Amino acid sequence: MDYGSLVTTARSCRRFDAARPIPLSILVWLVDLARIAPCGANRQALRYVVCNDRSRNDRVFGALRWAAYLTDWDGPAVHERPAGYVSILAPREGGAGVRVDLGIAAQTIMLGAAAQGLGCCMIGAFDRAVVEEALEVPQDYEVQLVLAIGHPAERRVLAPLGEDESIRYWRDAQGVHHVPKRSLGDVLVGRFGDSNE
């Protein structure tokens, strides 16, 4: 898959095939990708916890908040839950640049998951105490993001912004998940130099 297709494919996935497990080795491989990704001043401050254990996954799942824009949906049904999680931790003391490193690591993991044919959803809304207890997070770290990972059970497509310019994602009658995106012309506010086309 070329890189443009990979980025297009790596959309947030919120419904998975819970019957299809993910080997722990795949989750570890995703962390290894994040480990070697760039980070500010080469601090390497982030830590990770991977989990494909069903009982711990159930505890983590119960602490997550899913898809705020889909107000009539309570989250994945039991048969749609993720098969694994990668949680990204940062030192409780924080430090400059941790948020940037967090974004780089999370996107690296999401792209890696997409390259394996997996779906991923970065979740920042969760009950931190519950997740940290379920995953036995060391006391000097706190969970910053939970990445839910599994085999996709939904189709996700990009859509242009409508006339109302709403950025709210939505599902159609067939359950296809639509993600509105601004056009290139809307976001590219400057262009300088020779075209060389």
Side-chain angles (χ1 to χ4, degrees):
M1 177 182 315
D2 67 75
Y3 189 70
S5 298
L6 181 62
V7 172
T8 301
T9 303
R11 309 259 45 93
S12 291
C13 182
R14 295 177 179 86
R15 292 182 292 183
F16 307 90
D17 182 351
R20 296 180 65 187
I22 296 178
L24 203 58
S25 61
I26 293 291
L27 300 176
V28 170
W29 176 76
L30 293 171
V31 168
D32 202 29
L33 293 178
R35 174 188 68 83
I36 61 174
C39 61
N42 201 31
R43 282 182 302 272
Q44 304 175 64
L46 301 178
R47 299 294 183 267
Y48 306 85
V49 176
V50 297
C51 183
N52 71 352
D53 175 79
R54 184 163 295 191
S55 65
R56 286 182 195 265
N57 280 0
D58 287 346
R59 291 167 62 194
V60 170
F61 179 85
L64 305 178
R65 300 194 184 36
W66 291 86
Y69 288 161
L70 302 177
T71 57
D72 60 344
W73 186 64
D74 294 329
V78 173
H79 66 280
E80 299 174 326
R81 292 184 179 181
Y85 295 99
V86 175
S87 294
I88 306 179
L89 323 178
R92 288 197 188 275
E93 299 303 314
V98 168
R99 300 300 292 179
V100 173
D101 293 350
L102 180 65
I104 294 168
Q107 184 67 8
T108 299
I109 290 169
M110 185 174 235
L111 290 169
Q116 294 292 315
L118 300 172
C120 178
C121 187
M122 299 179 200
I123 302 171
F126 56 89
D127 185 323
R128 182 171 277 118
V130 172
V131 172
E132 290 179 355
E133 181 181 343
L135 299 178
E136 300 180 23
V137 172
Q139 289 187 352
D140 48 344
Y141 286 89
E142 64 182 359
V143 178
Q144 298 292 311
L145 275 178
V146 176
L147 280 67
I149 300 172
H151 294 274
E154 68 178 354
R155 186 165 161 244
R156 291 125 31 230
V157 297
L158 298 180
L161 258 58
E163 290 184 17
D164 63 357
E165 295 196 17
S166 174
I167 58 169
R168 297 172 74 92
Y169 46 79
W170 53 280
R171 290 196 180 130
D172 63 23
Q174 290 73 43
V176 176
H177 190 89
H178 295 261
V179 183
K181 290 292 183 181
R182 298 184 193 285
S183 71
L184 180 60
D186 288 340
V187 300
L188 183 62
V189 297
R191 183 187 295 197
F192 306 97
D194 293 330
S195 165
N196 292 330
E197 291 180 15

